[in-house]
Amino acid sequence: MRITIIGSGNVATHMAAALKNAGHNIVQVYSRDMQNAALLAYHVKAEPVDDLQHITPDTDLFIIAVKDDAIGIIAEQLAKHDKLIVHTSGATDLYVLLAFTDKAGVLYPLQTFSKVKEVNFRQVPLCIEGADAAITKQIEELAQSISNNVYRVDSAQRKILHLAAVFACNFPNYLYEVARQLLDAKGLDFELLRPLILETAQKVLERLPAQVQTGPAVRNDTGTMNDHLKLLAETPHLQDIYTMLSQGIIKMDFTPHGDK
Amino acid sequence: MRITIIGSGNVATHMAAALKNAGHNIVQVYSRDMQNAALLAYHVKAEPVDDLQHITPDTDLFIIAVKDDAIGIIAEQLAKHDKLIVHTSGATDLYVLLAFTDKAGVLYPLQTFSKVKEVNFRQVPLCIEGADAAITKQIEELAQSISNNVYRVDSAQRKILHLAAVFACNFPNYLYEVARQLLDAKGLDFELLRPLILETAQKVLERLPAQVQTGPAVRNDTGTMNDHLKLLAETPHLQDIYTMLSQGIIKMDFTPHGDK
């Protein structure tokens, strides 16, 4: 397939590489910043462009992987080429594209990407949606050429997935940082916590989180929780987080397996 | 070393197995529940006992791996044997043992254990403390016989570690469960999130969490955050958690590397 990549961020970079590796032809890479366009274009043997006027219509698919609030503006300018346009956003309705073209779809990778770390794209869940059955099928086949985990997900479901990803990824990472800062203040190395962080994630790969919940809250160990709140006396914001998350654990319908 | 295990929970089970594998002699396993004592004792070729009166003094070390509030009560009854006594609790001061004996120490494994999942004990960080230099050295050598990651940590530091572990393990696991429930309500499988959860943990094995923070809060993307809060309209408790953690991310001194 001939594919044009709009964007040069983390999603654009990883997806363009995966598509190129799968044998697709990356025609152009667009970025407002020519250096960024050139860097990604070089890797996937495409032409870099920094002006939407220079986008060629000789392509089969536009993949828009830019900030959410720019998706509509770009789609509006690409619609004249009358080619399939997909976006890669978890939080954006298909409607944002349908306002400008009926050849529209979504290719949302449910993974966290950073430019400095390789990801095995074949294991990335790809959530796809198309404006009609034929487009859905076309996007599905494209998605299956780069990933083993392709799911048909409508816009309402995708928004929930995006929200759930915030709870499962962004918030845990923030809590890792809170833990790091607590250690740092006492001269302790974050290295001490890394095995625990990895094990906590690995545990839910085969079990459900409620089955492996541990800690003072699930035991309703008020003595330990009060001790912890005292240790956080100088950071009332962390006290609030501690209390709120502990209450969530206490109230939840957990089936605890293990007490430590 | 001749070792007596007091307790039969997750920590007792994993630690007894690691010690046995390292060539130590597990003399007895105590539990109030004879079935639990017998099960663990069988695995480590020890004698099971369910009465502290039947504990033999022919041992070099008592490892107390029971609920925090029972540590002092048990230490009081073991002190008469005049042998080294250690506890395995992150939240408990060494003082709780020193009240009854000066041959006291701590052997705190900073990991989450469940009976159903194997753990490579050599990678478990062991935080040790002794009542004096000789005891500290003795516990350190024992710890090094079962783990490559042994750290000398005093009681004040250990309490911070235990608190940090709640933020790095217990709270993220709870947020995984919240995410699972959000998906479940829309007929979506938790399987969709597992690659993301694993990648999020793996990312901080070589980098610091602040360097890899992603999501709407670190971008201060108020449109997406407001959309998310609307999706949580029926669960005000989750709205509060969402707001509080997002504010924490927004206020924090992050150096964001990547915008997705």
Side-chain angles (χ1 to χ4, degrees):
Chain A
M1 214 170 176
R2 295 177 303 171
I3 298 168
T4 302
I5 304 287
I6 309 296
S8 60
N10 294 333
V11 171
T13 299
H14 285 271
M15 194 173 281
L19 289 164
K20 181 69 183 172
N21 286 340
H24 297 285
N25 177 17
I26 312 298
V27 182
Q28 291 181 318
V29 171
Y30 164 83
S31 170
R32 283 180 304 180
D33 180 320
M34 191 46 146
Q35 282 201 316
N36 291 342
L39 185 64
L40 176 53
Y42 174 79
H43 282 294
V44 297
K45 299 189 167 57
E47 180 194 358
V49 290
D50 64 353
D51 184 340
L52 286 174
Q53 303 304 319
H54 299 155
I55 290 285
T56 174
D58 291 331
T59 189
D60 303 311
L61 169 66
F62 293 105
I63 297 181
I64 303 180
V66 301
K67 288 193 175 166
D68 290 356
D69 54 10
I71 292 171
I73 299 159
I74 287 174
E76 185 173 15
Q77 297 195 55
L78 296 176
K80 64 184 174 197
H81 301 305
D82 199 31
K83 299 292 164 64
L84 179 58
I85 302 177
V86 304
H87 74 65
T88 60
S89 165
T92 305
D93 206 289
L94 178 60
Y95 175 80
V96 171
L97 302 181
L98 289 175
F100 307 106
T101 176
D102 53 2
K103 295 183 179 169
V106 180
L107 184 59
Y108 167 50
L110 188 51
Q111 187 51 283
T112 173
F113 298 104
S114 52
K115 285 185 184 168
V116 290
K117 185 170 186 305
E118 287 288 320
V119 164
N120 181 353
F121 214 93
R122 291 221 70 85
Q123 292 174 3
V124 173
L126 291 181
C127 303
I128 63 134
E129 183 180 11
D132 60 35
I135 291 173
T136 302
K137 184 77 188 149
Q138 192 180 1
I139 298 171
E140 187 171 54
E141 286 174 7
L142 177 73
Q144 287 169 342
S145 76
I146 55 175
S147 170
N148 298 332
N149 298 309
V150 178
Y151 299 85
R152 292 188 181 200
V153 166
D154 67 30
S155 285
Q157 288 177 316
R158 192 174 58 255
K159 282 181 189 169
I160 291 291
L161 272 174
H162 187 254
L163 171 62
V166 171
F167 278 92
C169 164
N170 305 150
F171 289 164
N173 187 75
Y174 166 68
L175 296 173
Y176 303 159
E177 172 64 14
V178 169
R180 190 200 66 75
Q181 293 186 3
L182 289 171
L183 295 197
D184 195 52
K186 296 287 174 184
L188 291 162
D189 197 312
F190 183 59
E191 189 61 29
L192 270 156
L193 283 179
R194 285 183 163 125
L196 178 65
I197 286 171
L198 184 61
E199 175 70 13
T200 301
Q202 287 179 333
K203 264 187 170 178
V204 300
L205 296 185
E206 294 178 5
R207 270 170 293 279
L208 297 179
Q211 296 174 318
V212 294
Q213 182 68 43
T214 55
V218 74
R219 297 193 302 269
N220 206 358
D221 177 350
T222 51
T224 298
M225 288 190 278
N226 286 333
D227 288 347
H228 284 168
L229 289 173
K230 280 178 205 155
L231 289 171
L232 296 169
E234 288 172 26
T235 48
H237 181 65
L238 295 183
Q239 278 186 328
D240 290 345
I241 289 175
Y242 187 97
T243 300
M244 188 159 285
L245 293 174
S246 293
Q247 285 174 350
I249 293 172
I250 291 167
K251 285 179 195 156
M252 226 158 177
D253 180 23
F254 277 120
T255 309
H257 291 212
D259 64 349
K260 191 100 188 186
Chain B
M1 215 169 172
R2 296 176 302 172
I3 298 169
T4 302
I5 304 287
I6 309 296
S8 60
N10 294 333
V11 171
T13 298
H14 285 271
M15 194 174 280
L19 289 163
K20 181 68 183 175
N21 287 339
H24 297 285
N25 175 18
I26 311 298
V27 181
Q28 291 180 320
V29 171
Y30 165 84
S31 170
R32 281 180 304 181
D33 180 320
M34 191 46 148
Q35 280 200 316
N36 291 343
L39 185 65
L40 177 53
Y42 174 79
H43 282 294
V44 297
K45 298 189 168 58
E47 180 196 357
V49 290
D50 64 354
D51 183 340
L52 286 175
Q53 302 305 319
H54 299 156
I55 291 285
T56 174
D58 291 330
T59 190
D60 302 312
L61 169 66
F62 293 105
I63 297 180
I64 302 179
V66 300
K67 290 195 174 165
D68 290 356
D69 55 9
I71 292 172
I73 300 160
I74 286 173
E76 186 173 14
Q77 296 194 55
L78 296 176
K80 64 185 174 196
H81 301 306
D82 199 30
K83 299 291 163 65
L84 179 57
I85 301 177
V86 304
H87 73 65
T88 60
S89 165
T92 305
D93 206 289
L94 179 59
Y95 175 80
V96 171
L97 301 181
L98 290 175
F100 306 108
T101 176
D102 53 2
K103 296 182 178 171
V106 179
L107 183 60
Y108 167 50
L110 189 49
Q111 186 52 283
T112 173
F113 298 104
S114 52
K115 284 184 185 169
V116 291
K117 185 170 186 306
E118 286 289 318
V119 164
N120 180 353
F121 213 92
R122 292 221 68 85
Q123 292 175 3
V124 174
L126 291 181
C127 303
I128 62 134
E129 183 181 11
D132 61 37
I135 290 173
T136 302
K137 185 76 188 147
Q138 192 181 0
I139 297 172
E140 187 170 53
E141 286 174 7
L142 177 74
Q144 287 168 342
S145 75
I146 55 175
S147 170
N148 298 332
N149 298 310
V150 178
Y151 299 86
R152 293 188 181 199
V153 167
D154 67 31
S155 286
Q157 287 176 317
R158 192 173 58 253
K159 282 181 191 170
I160 291 291
L161 272 174
H162 186 254
L163 171 63
V166 171
F167 278 92
C169 164
N170 305 148
F171 290 164
N173 187 76
Y174 167 67
L175 296 172
Y176 302 159
E177 172 64 14
V178 169
R180 190 199 66 75
Q181 294 186 3
L182 289 170
L183 295 198
D184 194 52
K186 294 287 173 184
L188 292 162
D189 198 310
F190 182 60
E191 190 60 28
L192 269 156
L193 283 178
R194 284 184 163 125
L196 178 64
I197 286 171
L198 183 61
E199 176 70 12
T200 301
Q202 286 178 334
K203 264 188 171 179
V204 300
L205 296 185
E206 293 178 4
R207 270 169 295 277
L208 297 179
Q211 295 174 321
V212 295
Q213 182 69 43
T214 56
V218 73
R219 297 193 302 270
N220 206 358
D221 177 349
T222 51
T224 298
M225 289 189 279
N226 286 334
D227 288 346
H228 283 169
L229 288 173
K230 280 177 205 154
L231 290 171
L232 295 170
E234 289 172 26
T235 47
H237 180 66
L238 295 183
Q239 279 187 327
D240 290 345
I241 289 174
Y242 188 96
T243 300
M244 188 158 286
L245 292 175
S246 294
Q247 285 175 351
I249 293 172
I250 291 167
K251 285 180 197 156
M252 225 158 180
D253 179 24
F254 278 121
T255 309
H257 291 213
D259 65 349
K260 194 99 190 187

